[in-house]
Amino acid sequence: MAMERSEVEIVKPRNDKREYRRIVLPNSLEVCLISDPDTDKAAASMNVDVGSFCDPEGLEGLAHFLEHMLFYASEKYPVEDSYSKFIAEHGGTTNAFTSSENTNFFFDVNADCLEEALDRFAQFFIKPLMSADATIREIKAVDSEHQKNLLTDVWRINQLEKHLSSRDHPYHKFSTGSWETLEVRPKAKGLDTRLELLKFYENNYSANLMQLVVYAKENLDVIQSLVESKFVAVRNISRNPFDFSGNPCPSEHLQILVKAVPIKDCHKLKIFWPITPGMHHYKEGPCGYLSHLIGHEGEGSLFSVLKKLGWAISLVAGEEERSYAFSFFYTIIELTDAGQEHIEEIVGLLFKYIKLLQDSGVQKWIFDELVAIRETGFHYKDKIPPIHYALDVALNMQLYPPEDWLVGSSVPSKFSPDTIQKILNELTPSNVRIFCQSKKFEGCTNLTEPWYGTQFAVEKLDIMTLEKWVEKAPDVNLSLPKENVFIPTDLSLKNVQEKVRYPRMLRKSPFSRLWYKPDTNFFTPKAYIRIDFNCPESKHSPEASVLTEMFTRLVMDYLNEYAYDADVAGLSYGIKHTDTGFEIICVGYNHKMRILLDKIISKIDDFEVRPDRFSVIKESLQKEYENYKFHPPYRQAMYYCSLLLEEHSWPWSEELEVLQHLEPNHLLQFTPRLLGKTHLECYISGNIEPKEAESTVEHIEEVLFKASNSPSKQLFPSQHATKRIVKLQDGLRYYYAVEGSNPSDENSSIVNYIQVHQDDMKMNVKLQLVALVAKQPAFHQLRSIEQLGYIALLRQRNDHGVHGLQFIIQSTVKDPSYLDARVNAFLGTFESTLYEMSDDEFKSNVNALIDLKLEKHKNLREEAAFFWKEISDGTLLFDRKESEVGALRELKKEELVEFFNSHVKFDAPQRRNLSVQVYGGLHQMEYKHAIDNLPPGSCQITDIFSFRRSRPLYGSFRAGQTRPEKI
């Protein structure tokens, strides 16, 4: 069979300068080539139409296990982990996932390194090696992944939904795999898992069931030649596509109310229906239309009504399971305590809203409005990293014809009332499944889901019962949404006079500073506004911290009904509590951004405390604090690490204690103090002219500072709140051991943190280079070889300009003191890696890091995040990338080795080390031993706050708004 080149025109955004081509190789592998001359990164994604639904009976998780195994080695590249090592050393990342009907493998790499990366990647699908030794190790890795998920409600409830379905449909299966399913049970049946794995690969991985995307800077002909040479050897056995048609939820699994006990304290209600898959009608967009209406949050919406009744915290609606075989339409509602007592009425109100949609008929103006929003979104879509773009396109290739690979189902193009009505007609009481999670069901269940151990009960509902729920639902004013006034109509680009690369201070007053950067890179009708309120009152005590959090959540709550349309129309916003006060962020189309921002400022200026909403927000926040104890141990370790290092950070237990006693009058008294003294740090960028930016800040000052009844006054220079970091002692090893907060969680964890220096160009690049070179070997040694746990990471850490490294490991197989010892052992072996590094290898690693640093920002958000960190930290080094590249070009290998020997290796004289150890349920004996037996050369921390008070602090770059060396 000759190579086929398709001349079909792939629909792309009108501003997209990239070129696309579809080809089909002689082995029937379908490929999408993407040429982007401006890219710094190349990427590829291979989608294989084989997923967990294909697992053989009695080998649950085999497809997922195969995904893991393909990373190890190949006949052409037999050195274990060489693929991942090559990618990491050339500025890239790798990943993969297994879903129901497909497995996807993807990577990115510095643009000049694509050819070898692609050759290594292609071997996954040509001649992989799956050794017996690697098989056992990776079964343990899959089991560790499963152990990580065991106490996670999302995984537990998802499996419960599958459990309550037809045993004859693959939807019913357990998909992740575990030691039990991949080792114990097969062995008991006389099966060799490795042989079954090889058989599964040979019988199912076929080129005709694969879709490949390659994203590169070269022209299409060059990319095509490269792909042909690398992938033509992928075997094609002309495997018939898998067929998963059939109803996973026959009548015995419909009209049911399932009551399940979650791990976390929450009340969640999911009402869903099996429906005709939206994929059959993706150009008509029936599920998009219905989810827009049922999930709406504006006036008259279901959520607005539930919120006013005090019954709901959030609501989302939509279609799940993107498949041609089957699908569900869902509505998920997070309930308050009061809402949990009114589940029947809430279900009744949902059916009332569906009845309203039936009675109103399909509205063309709503469909047209949605199309307008989505067309604008498609044509002005932000560029995203190539690795994510390649993945998105590869997934679309499995589902859509070539012309729609980019647009997918995001922009419906045919108005078909009958199609929308058909799906609406399926949302009936006779077709419904209702799942409710609540701790209140403890002791009221009689069944256990076998894979995760979720306790649950099932009630069969008849039509008469559901009709009674509709009758008892409150008589409220439900209505269709009004016209969306936030849809942008002016998408013109402003005339930028300055071709600047960095922000400049456009305006300064006693009340604020304004940093401004016009869009000179992306040329989209979008803007980014960030207003940081520096409020010293916000951080004085746990009570002040909690009240500031309550304030920001209530402002968001009050704005929701008004501003929801802005979010739908591509103009998002957020008001968030920060370390030094709170901030407002607006990002999206600039045309009506000022209207939204002015409304936000008005809500802050006129802030009031509504007791009913205060009560709901307090309840929600209290549950979040109480659920901290259910966080996975690695997150607990990271929390304790931050608590030990950050001045003026308060433990969640103290904030919870304070919260329980707070009443509306406390917030009423606190808010004038919070806003009474503040300074605004402002950043405005994008499609906004300087005068617009200035007038925006001037208006905020007029409202908050200058009017006769303004709430705020100027903040004196001495009052600026900063965040300072504890300085560890040279040559000393601190450790903090603590029991995990959830006794049922068998996982333990460590964060081994090595604090190195405060922001300095030469030191920065040395640390970054060590991290680049060590990252993949650390993962391979600690996770793949030693099998310490699924989570085994080496990361850089930057706390407000204080830089370091941290190892993060979570494990059931070993206790934290052992994990800590293995980290130090790794650093011992890595020392020789640095010594033995050739000059060519050193140069290659330096060049890879330079390429990473010179990578261009993909979109306005990414650019703004980079510059804002400089402003927020007070470092103001907007040319940081170029300066660090300069430092890298001068760096010598000897300097890197000396840096490692002085600051990083286990016995380094200037090493500053903190080991945070969280002991899980399996390691209680080891915990007792750890607190009674001090490791040699270590300093045990028994009281976090005594430790913090005893240590000096790094200076803040925000002190006086200048860098220390310039003071």
Side-chain angles (χ1 to χ4, degrees):
M1 176 182 170
M3 198 279 296
E4 174 192 334
R5 174 171 160 184
S6 170
E7 298 303 325
V8 66
E9 183 178 351
I10 298 173
V11 177
K12 67 178 188 176
R14 63 174 66 99
N15 291 334
D16 189 351
K17 303 293 191 296
R18 292 168 292 204
E19 294 185 330
Y20 301 83
R21 179 182 294 169
R22 173 188 181 263
I23 62 171
V24 180
L25 300 187
N27 57 2
S28 297
L29 174 63
E30 190 172 32
V31 187
C32 178
L33 312 174
I34 305 175
S35 171
D36 180 2
D38 296 327
T39 191
D40 310 291
K41 280 274 171 65
S45 174
M46 178 73 91
N47 195 67
V48 185
D49 300 348
V50 179
S52 59
F53 279 4
C54 308
D55 287 342
E57 194 66 38
L59 281 163
E60 293 87 355
L62 193 66
H64 178 217
F65 176 45
L66 175 58
E67 170 223 306
H68 280 236
M69 287 297 294
L70 291 181
F71 279 81
Y72 267 85
S74 64
E75 195 173 281
K76 185 172 183 179
Y77 298 100
V79 177
E80 195 172 287
D81 197 49
S82 60
Y83 162 75
S84 298
K85 185 172 183 289
F86 178 87
I87 297 293
E89 288 177 351
H90 294 86
T93 54
T94 68
N95 213 332
F97 64 85
T98 304
S99 63
S100 300
E101 299 183 33
N102 62 292
T103 305
N104 193 287
F105 306 83
F106 51 101
F107 74 88
D108 67 358
V109 71
N110 290 336
D112 292 330
C113 307
L114 176 63
E115 182 168 2
E116 184 171 343
L118 212 55
D119 192 50
R120 291 174 178 272
F121 183 62
Q123 305 312 309
F124 282 37
F125 316 103
I126 298 172
K127 285 198 174 175
L129 294 179
M130 294 182 257
S131 70
D133 176 53
T135 298
I136 291 297
R137 279 187 277 134
E138 210 54 33
I139 290 175
K140 291 178 180 177
V142 169
D143 186 67
S144 180
E145 185 175 354
H146 175 56
Q147 295 294 326
K148 171 183 71 73
N149 300 333
L150 270 176
L151 297 179
T152 304
D153 284 322
V154 170
W155 285 92
R156 294 166 68 87
I157 299 304
N158 177 256
Q159 190 61 44
L160 179 58
E161 290 173 14
K162 296 165 88 172
H163 179 66
L164 295 172
S165 68
S166 170
R167 289 179 176 274
D168 298 328
H169 196 283
Y171 177 73
H172 183 81
K173 292 180 178 180
F174 167 61
S175 59
T176 310
S178 65
W179 182 258
E180 180 74 19
T181 67
L182 294 171
E183 176 65 16
V184 177
R185 293 185 185 183
K187 190 170 279 186
K189 295 177 183 174
L191 295 176
D192 181 322
T193 301
R194 179 172 174 269
L195 294 180
E196 295 300 318
L197 180 76
L198 294 170
K199 191 191 306 179
F200 185 79
Y201 178 84
E202 292 293 324
N203 291 342
N204 297 307
Y205 269 49
S206 176
N208 72 303
L209 297 185
M210 298 179 184
Q211 302 87 32
L212 173 67
V213 176
V214 177
Y215 189 115
K217 68 177 184 178
E218 289 80 12
N219 66 50
L220 290 173
D221 290 338
V222 171
I223 305 171
Q224 179 172 325
S225 176
L226 184 63
V227 167
E228 288 171 0
S229 67
K230 304 301 180 189
F231 290 90
V232 73
V234 177
R235 200 172 49 102
N236 178 21
I237 59 171
S238 300
R239 175 77 167 80
N240 287 329
F242 288 90
D243 180 9
F244 305 116
S245 57
N247 184 1
C249 297
S251 58
E252 64 264 34
H253 298 297
L254 300 176
Q255 290 178 236
I256 55 172
L257 171 62
V258 180
K259 297 177 179 179
V261 180
I263 297 296
K264 291 186 175 181
D265 186 10
C266 67
H267 311 300
K268 282 192 179 172
L269 179 63
K270 181 174 181 179
I271 305 109
F272 58 121
W273 302 261
I275 59 165
T276 303
M279 286 304 308
H280 294 185
H281 307 285
Y282 74 92
K283 288 187 180 290
E284 291 87 351
C287 292
Y289 177 93
L290 293 173
S291 63
H292 171 66
L293 296 176
I294 295 172
H296 208 277
E297 298 181 21
E299 184 182 355
S301 67
L302 174 62
F303 178 67
S304 176
V305 164
L306 292 173
K307 190 174 153 186
K308 283 171 184 168
L309 289 166
W311 292 352
I313 296 166
S314 66
L315 184 151
V316 292
E319 184 185 17
E320 60 185 2
E321 299 291 344
R322 261 197 340 171
S323 167
Y324 279 96
F326 69 96
S327 188
F328 298 100
F329 188 93
Y330 66 87
T331 301
I332 301 174
I333 308 169
E334 187 178 355
L335 305 176
T336 62
D337 287 347
Q340 174 61 25
E341 301 298 323
H342 294 279
I343 290 172
E344 295 175 3
E345 291 92 330
I346 292 169
V347 173
L349 281 169
L350 173 57
F351 278 115
K352 275 192 172 184
Y353 195 82
I354 291 169
K355 176 72 161 54
L356 169 69
L357 298 184
Q358 291 276 15
D359 293 344
S360 304
V362 178
Q363 303 284 311
K364 189 172 190 304
W365 75 267
I366 294 176
F367 180 85
D368 290 343
E369 187 178 85
L370 269 177
V371 170
I373 291 168
R374 293 190 174 190
E375 277 188 342
T376 303
F378 176 67
H379 288 297
Y380 294 99
K381 188 177 181 181
D382 288 340
K383 240 185 173 182
I384 60 175
I387 188 171
H388 299 143
Y389 194 67
L391 170 61
D392 289 347
V393 176
L395 293 176
N396 279 352
M397 287 174 72
Q398 183 186 12
L399 298 169
Y400 303 101
E403 62 269 21
D404 292 329
W405 281 350
L406 307 185
V407 68
S409 57
S410 64
V411 184
S413 55
K414 295 179 183 175
F415 179 58
S416 174
D418 290 346
T419 302
I420 296 171
Q421 191 66 48
K422 177 185 176 184
I423 304 296
L424 185 58
N425 291 343
E426 293 176 335
L427 310 186
T428 65
S430 62
N431 203 29
V432 75
R433 286 157 59 88
I434 303 171
F435 281 64
C436 189
Q437 306 172 50
S438 176
K439 288 279 194 183
K440 292 194 174 183
F441 298 140
E442 285 181 327
C444 304
T445 61
N446 60 344
L447 297 167
T448 302
E449 190 280 316
W451 297 108
Y452 291 82
T454 304
Q455 301 295 307
F456 71 100
V458 181
E459 294 177 23
K460 192 71 175 171
L461 302 170
D462 55 37
I463 296 295
M464 192 175 296
T465 299
L466 289 163
E467 286 174 350
K468 284 179 181 175
W469 292 7
V470 174
E471 289 170 11
K472 70 188 287 190
D475 186 13
V476 291
N477 185 26
L478 293 166
S479 61
L480 296 177
K482 296 181 174 64
E483 183 181 345
N484 191 331
V485 298
F486 281 101
I487 296 175
T489 53
D490 181 1
L491 297 168
S492 61
L493 298 182
K494 305 294 171 74
N495 185 22
V496 178
Q497 301 297 326
E498 315 167 76
K499 302 297 180 185
V500 294
R501 295 178 66 189
Y502 309 118
R504 66 181 176 92
M505 196 190 299
L506 185 61
R507 183 180 183 277
K508 185 176 181 180
S509 79
F511 312 109
S512 69
R513 289 198 307 183
L514 169 60
W515 298 91
Y516 170 71
K517 163 85 174 54
D519 177 11
T520 55
N521 297 316
F522 312 112
F523 308 107
T524 59
K526 296 180 181 181
Y528 183 101
I529 296 178
R530 193 164 190 156
I531 314 291
D532 180 78
F533 287 70
N534 189 301
C535 306
E537 191 67 31
S538 70
K539 57 181 287 182
H540 275 172
S541 65
E543 183 179 52
S545 177
V546 172
L547 286 167
T548 304
E549 180 69 28
M550 291 286 292
F551 167 77
T552 59
R553 291 191 184 207
L554 278 168
V555 175
M556 285 286 288
D557 185 77
Y558 299 160
L559 282 164
N560 188 67
E561 195 170 280
Y562 168 82
Y564 179 76
D565 273 344
D567 196 47
V568 169
L571 177 52
S572 58
Y573 70 102
I575 304 158
K576 297 178 182 175
H577 183 191
T578 66
D579 293 330
T580 54
F582 67 96
E583 67 182 8
I584 300 167
I585 300 175
C586 293
V587 59
Y589 302 112
N590 59 275
H591 180 207
K592 298 180 179 179
M593 187 176 284
R594 177 66 183 272
I595 298 169
L596 177 62
L597 182 61
D598 287 355
K599 184 71 171 180
I600 294 170
I601 297 300
S602 172
K603 280 291 179 191
I604 291 171
D605 181 41
D606 299 331
F607 183 75
E608 58 179 333
V609 182
R610 301 175 196 163
D612 60 330
R613 299 312 301 163
F614 179 93
S615 176
V616 168
I617 299 298
K618 176 183 173 181
E619 179 193 304
S620 175
L621 185 56
Q622 185 167 328
K623 281 190 172 68
E624 286 181 33
Y625 282 127
E626 289 170 343
N627 285 328
Y628 274 19
K629 61 180 173 284
F630 298 117
H631 284 184
Y634 81 94
R635 285 186 59 190
Q636 293 180 36
M638 292 170 72
Y639 158 76
Y640 285 120
C641 189
S642 295
L643 196 60
L644 284 156
L645 294 172
E646 295 176 3
E647 180 200 29
H648 294 314
S649 56
W650 312 108
W652 67 263
S653 55
E654 290 182 6
E655 294 191 338
L656 173 60
E657 187 176 333
V658 164
L659 176 63
Q660 290 168 340
H661 303 291
L662 292 180
E663 299 298 336
N665 65 298
H666 292 111
L667 184 56
L668 201 60
Q669 294 164 12
F670 173 76
T671 307
R673 299 202 305 274
L674 175 71
L675 299 174
K677 286 277 190 173
T678 188
H679 183 271
L680 311 184
E681 193 82 62
C682 311
Y683 176 84
I684 299 180
S685 66
N687 194 38
I688 288 185
E689 293 175 341
K691 287 183 179 178
E692 291 179 89
E694 287 189 87
S695 76
T696 298
V697 176
E698 285 168 1
H699 173 75
I700 295 172
E701 287 188 0
E702 286 293 331
V703 173
L704 296 183
F705 293 95
K706 297 178 179 178
S708 58
N709 59 344
S710 290
S712 304
K713 297 287 185 290
Q714 171 189 347
L715 189 66
F716 295 124
S718 62
Q719 294 178 293
H720 281 261
T722 58
K723 195 74 176 180
R724 299 179 66 187
I725 302 300
V726 165
K727 187 173 186 178
L728 304 178
Q729 185 172 321
D730 285 4
L732 194 58
R733 178 177 179 270
Y734 299 92
Y735 86 97
Y736 177 71
V738 64
E739 291 179 283
S741 53
N742 179 11
S744 300
D745 196 331
E746 297 180 346
N747 288 281
S748 293
S749 184
I750 64 156
V751 169
N752 186 311
Y753 168 60
I754 303 167
Q755 189 181 75
V756 181
H757 68 285
Q758 193 169 27
D759 199 48
D760 172 272
M761 287 300 147
K762 275 213 157 186
M763 293 287 279
N764 290 354
V765 298
K766 291 173 189 175
L767 181 70
Q768 291 160 9
L769 196 54
V770 166
L772 177 78
V773 177
K775 180 180 176 182
Q776 188 58 33
F779 176 83
H780 182 60
Q781 179 64 36
L782 300 172
R783 199 272 213 178
S784 300
I785 294 178
E786 299 188 31
Q787 286 298 317
L788 297 179
Y790 181 74
I791 297 171
L793 308 169
L794 168 60
R795 287 180 176 172
Q796 294 179 64
R797 184 177 176 121
N798 180 355
D799 294 290
H800 305 277
V802 177
H803 298 260
L805 294 172
Q806 60 182 358
F807 290 84
I808 304 167
I809 306 176
Q810 180 170 291
S811 178
T812 54
V813 296
K814 297 293 182 182
D815 71 277
S817 60
Y818 181 90
L819 302 178
D820 209 44
R822 298 317 301 158
V823 167
N824 293 323
F826 166 75
L827 289 172
T829 58
F830 180 71
E831 185 180 351
S832 62
T833 303
L834 281 183
Y835 286 143
E836 294 165 10
M837 186 188 297
S838 68
D839 289 342
D840 285 344
E841 287 174 317
F842 175 75
K843 286 177 186 174
S844 175
N845 286 318
V846 167
N847 289 334
L849 186 54
I850 287 173
D851 286 344
L852 275 173
K853 291 196 167 297
L854 294 180
E855 195 175 323
K856 295 184 284 288
H857 298 300
K858 303 294 181 294
N859 53 59
L860 194 61
R861 284 178 192 252
E862 200 177 285
E863 180 190 78
F866 176 83
F867 289 134
W868 179 256
K869 182 154 181 60
E870 296 295 331
I871 295 166
S872 177
D873 286 351
T875 42
L876 303 180
L877 294 174
F878 299 128
D879 63 345
R880 174 177 298 276
K881 290 184 175 185
E882 293 79 5
S883 299
E884 289 185 345
V885 166
L888 270 171
R889 294 193 196 282
E890 296 174 1
L891 185 66
K892 296 179 174 58
K893 178 188 163 186
E894 295 73 25
E895 293 178 274
L896 185 68
V897 172
E898 190 277 329
F899 168 83
F900 180 83
N901 288 339
S902 299
H903 297 280
V904 180
K905 78 174 186 178
F906 180 62
D907 56 352
Q910 297 175 57
R911 188 179 196 247
R912 297 192 286 269
N913 185 216
L914 168 63
S915 175
V916 178
Q917 305 179 0
V918 176
Y919 286 77
L922 285 181
H923 301 124
Q924 291 307 294
M925 292 296 293
E926 291 87 346
Y927 170 69
K928 292 180 174 64
H929 183 268
I931 59 175
D932 292 336
N933 296 271
L934 190 66
S938 297
C939 175
Q940 183 178 6
I941 299 170
T942 56
D943 183 285
I944 289 174
F945 310 107
S946 296
F947 166 76
R948 268 192 350 203
R949 287 189 288 267
S950 71
R951 295 300 310 149
L953 302 171
Y954 282 99
S956 169
F957 289 125
R958 292 181 73 173
Q961 304 296 339
T962 185
R963 289 178 68 86
E965 64 265 26
K966 297 180 182 176
I967 292 175

